[in-house]
Amino acid sequence: MSIAEMDQDQDQDLDGVTDAIKTLALKVGGDVVGVAPVDRWDEFAPEGHRPVDFLPGAKNVVVVGSRGPTAGAWRSPDHRVIEVNGFDFSNDRAIHVVANYIEQELGHYAMQAPSLPTGGQQPPMSLMLSAVLAGLGTRSLAANIILNPKFGLLYYSACITTAKLNVDEMLEQNVCPHPMCVATYREIGKTPCMASCPSDEGGCLDGTIGEDGEIESMSYDRERCVSRSMNFGINSFQKALGEIIDEQDSERRSSMINSDFFSRSCTSVSFFKESVAQCFECMRVCPIGRAERKLK
Ligand code: SF4
Ligand code: SF4
């Protein structure tokens, strides 16, 4: 066999392996899947936060994105119940299946990209960055959320692997702002997401769009957003605990401990099965992905 024929054989093999992984990811819960080579992180992530820092010899990162709330849930008039299902997102399930497939069927190392902080607030590896580098979306004016051109808001998981795979290009065009949002901005000085949560009226979002129709500047008040969008969870547990400890009146302290609010906070901390996110307003008004949420 000539070298050219061997190269062609290897390319076909690469196509086949990459297709098999992507098909599997979509079958087991992913809505989108992309592959990024590890050297793309060098430009954007500091040492200690790159795929090779977690899996020596890593070559690629497979990124899977899945929808959270269903199309029906987006239509609910009660914003508190849009919710996603605890922490068992389908993107996590899909990435576990992909990692097992790579190790058991292909014989290469694979590990889920570590995204939950092991200390402080910074994740070991950013899944938002991973999604961008794998060509699945771009940052938006709404809380920096990575918007996919077809689905809008997605939840991401990633798998670092030593397997050689075909990689995807990053998106050339920014998903946000949508042309309709640019028109709205020109009219009222705000895009729909900014108008739904304006920082000058106690909300979290602000920004400007340049003459070219691209994001010129943006600001997002993360602390304020957490206090509004996540009322039950670790933050509320810590907040309530401080207030309970400070309460001198024993009867009042007892009622605070047994209150619905504190009970719910305890449940969400222990099981993460309580409602942990109660605000999606900036995404509810976002036109990106709306077509996918339009059903009968
Ligand atoms: S999630 Fe809610 S509080 Fe946070 S930026 Fe969006 S609209 Fe504002
Ligand atoms: S509504 Fe969506 S597309 Fe429009 S500016 Fe906000 S995040 Fe971007």
Side-chain angles (χ1 to χ4, degrees):
M1 189 186 277
S2 70
I3 290 180
E5 281 171 337
M6 278 165 67
D7 280 352
Q8 200 182 3
D9 243 28
Q10 276 185 350
D11 283 351
Q12 277 171 358
D13 209 31
L14 222 54
D15 288 348
V17 167
T18 309
D19 281 354
I21 289 173
K22 288 186 168 181
T23 305
L24 178 65
L26 297 178
K27 194 171 155 203
V28 296
D31 284 309
V32 295
V33 55
V35 181
V38 293
D39 55 14
R40 276 193 198 155
W41 271 257
D42 295 350
E43 189 184 340
F44 302 101
E47 236 176 274
H49 295 270
R50 300 170 183 163
V52 288
D53 296 320
F54 304 104
L55 179 58
K59 292 195 175 60
N60 292 295
V61 178
V62 181
V63 185
V64 170
S66 305
R67 280 168 284 188
T70 61
W74 279 110
R75 295 181 73 82
S76 176
D78 186 341
H79 65 85
R80 293 169 305 172
V81 299
I82 291 182
E83 189 54 293
V84 282
N85 300 321
F87 263 16
D88 44 354
F89 299 141
S90 40
N91 43 299
D92 276 337
R93 288 201 305 275
I95 217 70
H96 291 156
V97 174
V98 164
N100 282 341
Y101 176 83
I102 291 174
E103 293 209 330
Q104 288 161 17
E105 301 295 327
L106 307 180
H108 281 280
Y109 293 108
M111 70 173 282
Q112 181 167 13
S115 62
L116 297 177
T118 50
Q121 302 290 335
Q122 302 299 338
M125 214 174 118
S126 164
L127 292 181
M128 291 169 71
L129 177 62
S130 303
V132 173
L133 297 182
L136 298 180
T138 62
R139 278 178 191 270
S140 72
L141 279 163
N144 287 321
I145 286 168
I146 304 300
L147 291 180
N148 174 266
K150 181 174 181 191
F151 294 107
L153 170 71
L154 289 175
Y155 295 80
Y156 292 101
S157 296
C159 168
I160 312 168
T161 178
T162 53
K164 245 180 116 183
L165 300 171
N166 284 335
V167 300
D168 293 291
E169 294 301 320
M170 289 163 65
L171 295 184
E172 278 177 15
Q173 203 177 338
N174 287 325
V175 181
C176 169
H178 186 281
M180 189 197 95
C181 302
V182 178
T184 309
Y185 177 82
R186 301 273 184 252
E187 198 66 36
I188 63 168
K190 285 183 171 42
T191 61
C193 57
M194 285 186 232
S196 76
C197 194
S199 58
D200 53 1
E201 289 176 40
C204 314
L205 304 176
D206 203 358
T208 55
I209 295 178
E211 286 304 312
D212 57 358
E214 297 288 334
I215 297 172
E216 191 176 57
S217 69
M218 57 201 282
S219 79
Y220 162 54
D221 190 329
R222 184 169 65 173
E223 279 66 37
R224 196 181 270 177
C225 175
V226 165
S227 71
R228 298 178 68 182
S229 65
M230 296 182 173
N231 291 296
F232 312 126
I234 291 167
N235 303 299
S236 71
F237 177 78
Q238 289 169 320
K239 187 174 164 213
L241 193 61
E243 285 171 6
I244 288 167
I245 290 169
D246 283 346
E247 181 54 57
Q248 300 303 311
D249 182 329
S250 66
E251 231 174 83
R252 193 168 146 68
R253 191 166 59 239
S254 169
S255 77
M256 286 165 82
I257 289 171
N258 294 300
S259 68
D260 177 64
F261 177 69
F262 192 59
S263 303
R264 208 169 285 281
S265 299
C266 291
T267 317
S268 61
V269 168
S270 50
F271 294 109
F272 268 110
K273 276 293 182 191
E274 281 284 345
S275 172
V276 293
Q278 299 93 42
C279 180
F280 289 81
E281 292 314 291
C282 49
M283 282 292 99
R284 199 207 286 263
V285 297
C286 178
I288 309 286
R290 192 170 287 163
E292 291 299 314
R293 304 202 296 259
K294 213 164 162 58
L295 303 176
K296 282 188 282 185

